[in-house]
Amino acid sequence: MLQERIADLSKYVEPDRVRREVYVDPGIFELEMQRIHERYWIYCGHESQVPKPGDYYTVQIGRQPMLMVRGKDRKVHVLYNRCPHRGNMMCGDRNGNTGEFFRCSYHAWTFHHDGRLRTIPMMESGYSGTRFGPDNPDCSMKKAARVESYRGFVFASLAEDGPTLLEFLGEAKIAFDDMCDRAPEGEVEIVPNCFRVIQRSNWKIFLENQLDALHPSVTHQSTGRAAHEVEKEIAKKAKKGEAPLSYHMLSAFATVTIDKWDAFQTLNYPYGHCILTGYMGLRPQDPDTLAYDKVMIKAYGKKRFEEIVGVNIHHVLIYPGLSVQSPLQQLRAVRPLGVDRTLTEIWHFRLKGAPEPIYRRSLAYYNLVNSPSTLVNADDLENFWKCQQGLKSEGGDWVTFGRHFGRDSEKAGVVETGPNMGTSEAPMRNQMKAWAEYMGNGR
Ligand code: FES
Ligand SMILES: [Fe+2]
């Protein structure tokens, strides 16, 4: 039955609309896991999450429980979190240090950090003359087919073939360059731990929302207005007539109106990656910013410094599972759990060598805008759940992405929205175009 639907898959996506089944059909979800998440490059984590040999972090890739581990050779390995003996999960905790080697809790088989079998209790007496033992690769923990990292960000692909990580990222690698270049030392380190949110909606709904510049001034209007009222009150009483910057982070949702969002631009790339350009107002002339500028100029020189802080990015979406806000050193990793269940991990990074107040400022944004406790996140979650409910219904067959359709321009494979069309639905069209290609290629 599933095979029959596979043959029809191309009919689910048109350039400006998509059938609702792609969000609600469990059979399509299974195919997505096989053909997209378990084939292409998925973000595992940052190297600084596992600084010492034996440090590990578990991570879900498609339907596969995996773990990222630092070896004694300093290399980061990505393995299936499964013992080859009888299938026991190797690490039950989310993260930790496994010591000199992995030791299965069931019958004590042990493994090197790269997954190779190390010992089996009484191996000689128990296994001599059998096909099991160190020479049989099936007795080692299975590795991800490919692991690569870019500027400390580790990705794995569960397929032997396909583009390299850099070929896959293409222009979207700017997410990591922009984040790291803003550090005086040229790299970032993880802020432990992340926020985790389970959304009662399909994974694609989250991704489509990330570059949806039309929604903030509608969805988050009530949050923005409330913050703006308080901001004005504080400003009235404050000596210098200004409220702390953190109020601005929320009030912007009310004061940045749709026409201002339209001044931004979207850039849409192969593999479904997209960028929303737009200045985030992160260069006020307060003493903290000036102190940071000074450290940066010392590290890079004036010219390079201006280039770095002048990068005009609001958001980078790396399909199919990563949304990066590089100027604020945060990212959200998407882990689909089921057709209507999605985990997002919300991570924050520290700019190495930057003064503490700069970290505090981005931390405030992390808590106020991206954390599960903020009204902003709650606004979005409510929409996501309601979309999923509506899509399950028979009230319509299509989801439409027609805003500014037909007005994009294409140069060398990059689709750009025209002037004053920042609220275009071009990023959603691009994601679904890539989706159809991924799903078709897996046939
Ligand atoms: S299941 Fe791991 S040692 Fe038996
Ligand atoms: Fe939102």
Side-chain angles (χ1 to χ4, degrees):
M1 197 173 128
L2 195 55
Q3 287 305 321
E4 230 148 73
R5 278 202 248 127
I6 298 169
D8 268 337
L9 218 45
S10 60
K11 299 203 182 85
Y12 285 64
V13 182
E14 294 181 5
D16 59 350
R17 61 179 193 168
V18 175
R19 280 193 68 92
R20 71 180 181 94
E21 287 87 343
V22 307
Y23 301 91
V24 298
D25 184 327
I28 292 181
F29 176 81
E30 289 297 308
L31 283 179
E32 289 176 328
M33 295 304 103
Q34 282 169 27
R35 295 181 178 181
I36 307 177
H37 290 262
E38 294 171 11
R39 282 199 63 79
Y40 289 88
W41 291 100
I42 299 293
Y43 177 64
C44 297
H46 191 263
E47 286 174 8
S48 60
Q49 280 171 249
V50 288
K52 296 188 300 296
D55 283 349
Y56 70 85
Y57 236 100
T58 59
V59 59
Q60 187 84 7
I61 298 185
R63 297 156 301 181
Q64 313 303 322
M66 309 294 292
L67 51 88
M68 174 174 87
V69 57
R70 175 80 67 174
K72 285 193 202 110
D73 56 0
R74 307 294 308 157
K75 266 180 75 177
V76 175
H77 307 277
V78 179
L79 311 170
Y80 287 76
N81 188 6
R82 178 200 191 273
C83 176
H85 178 216
R86 299 254 287 275
N88 198 27
M89 189 178 258
M90 189 60 65
C91 298
D93 291 341
R94 199 178 310 282
N95 65 300
N97 186 289
T98 187
E100 292 285 299
F101 47 82
F102 289 109
R103 180 179 180 277
C104 180
S105 62
Y106 203 174
H107 314 95
W109 285 31
T110 66
F111 304 88
H112 298 284
H113 294 144
D114 62 3
R116 269 178 308 122
L117 178 69
R118 181 176 166 274
T119 59
I120 297 175
M122 292 171 288
M123 182 147 57
E124 253 318 287
S125 57
Y127 286 94
S128 64
T130 74
R131 62 161 124 169
F132 305 105
D135 298 333
N136 182 343
D138 290 344
C139 291
S140 288
M141 290 169 70
K142 189 174 168 184
K143 294 177 176 193
R146 294 181 295 158
V147 180
E148 283 187 40
S149 75
Y150 181 68
R151 297 199 72 163
F153 295 84
V154 181
F155 287 75
S157 158
L158 303 187
E160 297 286 349
D161 57 342
T164 64
L165 177 63
L166 278 183
E167 284 165 356
F168 175 75
L169 291 176
E171 296 294 318
K173 80 178 173 61
I174 196 169
F176 307 114
D177 291 332
D178 186 33
M179 204 191 284
C180 297
D181 290 348
R182 286 172 188 269
E185 292 177 23
E187 55 185 16
V188 292
E189 63 186 347
I190 199 85
V191 175
N193 198 343
C194 69
F195 290 123
R196 288 184 162 79
V197 181
I198 291 181
Q199 314 180 353
R200 300 275 163 186
S201 48
N202 187 267
W203 61 278
K204 297 186 291 300
I205 293 176
F206 176 84
L207 289 184
E208 284 157 9
N209 182 68
Q210 292 307 290
L211 268 61
D212 181 334
L214 184 61
H215 92 281
S217 28
V218 182
T219 300
H220 306 303
Q221 191 187 45
S222 55
T223 302
R225 264 204 208 154
H228 195 41
E229 290 307 314
V230 181
E231 186 182 31
K232 283 192 290 192
E233 280 301 306
I234 294 177
K236 243 191 262 166
K237 291 178 199 150
K239 270 196 197 127
K240 280 199 203 154
E242 267 179 50
L245 188 66
S246 50
Y247 285 88
H248 174 72
M249 292 172 184
L250 284 178
S251 66
F253 286 99
T255 55
V256 180
T257 47
I258 292 178
D259 54 317
K260 289 186 191 145
W261 282 103
D262 257 333
F264 293 5
Q265 193 187 24
T266 76
L267 305 168
N268 303 284
Y269 298 97
Y271 295 114
H273 312 322
C274 326
I275 292 177
L276 178 66
T277 67
Y279 179 57
M280 296 208 45
L282 293 174
R283 293 191 65 194
Q285 293 298 299
D286 61 286
D288 293 341
T289 309
L290 296 177
Y292 165 72
D293 290 358
K294 217 165 142 188
V295 181
M296 285 289 284
I297 291 168
K298 192 160 173 239
Y300 291 102
K302 182 90 177 139
K303 187 167 168 283
R304 180 73 188 121
F305 159 73
E306 287 297 339
E307 279 169 15
I308 290 170
V309 293
V311 170
N312 187 27
I313 280 187
H314 189 291
H315 236 108
V316 182
L317 186 127
I318 299 173
Y319 203 78
L322 203 56
S323 160
V324 188
Q325 257 180 306
S326 48
L328 290 156
Q329 301 89 50
Q330 15 217 292
L331 63 77
R332 280 169 278 185
V334 181
R335 317 281 181 201
L337 303 176
V339 70
D340 58 0
R341 229 163 142 252
T342 304
L343 168 71
T344 53
E345 298 171 358
I346 311 159
W347 290 99
H348 184 205
F349 298 84
R350 191 190 272 267
L351 296 173
K352 275 187 155 178
E356 183 71 10
I358 295 301
Y359 165 65
R360 294 275 149 202
R361 186 158 79 194
S362 60
L363 184 64
Y365 188 90
Y366 180 64
N367 285 320
L368 283 168
V369 179
N370 285 345
S371 80
S373 57
T374 150
L375 289 174
V376 179
N377 198 287
D379 295 336
D380 286 324
L381 285 177
E382 193 197 3
N383 278 346
F384 300 164
W385 175 73
K386 281 157 71 184
C387 280
Q388 192 71 26
Q389 296 309 304
L391 291 171
K392 272 200 260 180
S393 81
E394 289 174 6
D397 290 334
W398 297 94
V399 170
T400 72
F401 299 131
R403 192 173 175 84
H404 293 307
F405 179 62
R407 299 175 193 150
D408 306 322
S409 63
E410 185 166 349
K411 283 181 223 145
V414 184
V415 174
E416 294 183 12
T417 47
N420 277 320
M421 294 182 206
T423 63
S424 167
E425 284 170 332
M428 300 85 187
R429 294 193 284 272
N430 190 51
Q431 288 167 50
M432 283 315 302
K433 179 172 170 261
W435 183 91
E437 285 164 9
Y438 285 124
M439 296 294 273
N441 284 346
R443 263 184 220 170

